[in-house]
Amino acid sequence: IGLTGTLFALKHVVVDRSLNLLTTLLAIGTVFGILRYRLGTGASTIAHVTANLLASLIALAVTRSE
């Protein structure tokens, strides 16, 4: 779980160019890893999609309010 969470975080740091979010991404990657371990791939996939959807909606709302 730790290795997977770390790889998840590093991938997002590189692709999204978001080194300042490393700690947050490590935590999220670990949570997704725990979900995968306890509940299966479907649960972690749904959690990831939900997190991406919420982040996109928040970004859209902030962009529109400026």
Side-chain angles (χ1 to χ4, degrees):
I1 294 172
L3 176 61
T4 304
T6 301
L7 292 173
F8 173 89
L10 291 175
K11 177 265 178 201
H12 280 283
V13 165
V14 171
V15 172
D16 302 336
R17 299 178 187 185
S18 56
L19 184 58
N20 57 333
L21 295 176
L22 180 59
T23 306
T24 303
L25 290 167
L26 281 169
I28 291 170
T30 302
V31 168
F32 291 162
I34 291 169
L35 282 171
R36 164 61 177 87
Y37 179 74
R38 291 188 176 180
L39 302 174
T41 302
S44 62
T45 301
I46 290 169
H48 194 172
V49 169
T50 302
N52 287 348
L53 179 61
L54 288 173
S56 296
L57 290 173
I58 290 167
L60 184 61
V62 168
T63 302
R64 286 188 175 193
S65 68
E66 292 178 352

